[in-house]
Amino acid sequence: MATDEVRRFLAALPPEERSAVEGRSPQEQERLAAAWERELESDDELDTLDELSPPAAEAEAARRVIEREA
């Protein structure tokens, strides 16, 4: 469900970025959340980090997605 994915993506963001993303349209939020999921799935470094700290891996993937958007 896209809403759960967006909620998880928003939770992985630092507060200032979360506020900025929450101000975007629901479609844009879903697009960013989908990019975040792809980042988590495709990066081997994040797989290793995920084994040590899943929240850290999610936060790093979120940071990368937001950085690409800037």
Side-chain angles (χ1 to χ4, degrees), residues 24-49:
R24 296 183 183 199
S25 72
Q27 295 81 8
E28 181 67 8
Q29 290 179 24
E30 288 179 14
R31 185 187 69 74
L32 291 170
W36 173 70
E37 286 286 345
R38 286 189 302 275
E39 185 74 23
L40 283 170
E41 292 172 0
S42 67
D43 191 301
D44 292 337
E45 287 179 18
L46 291 176
D47 285 343
T48 302
L49 182 58

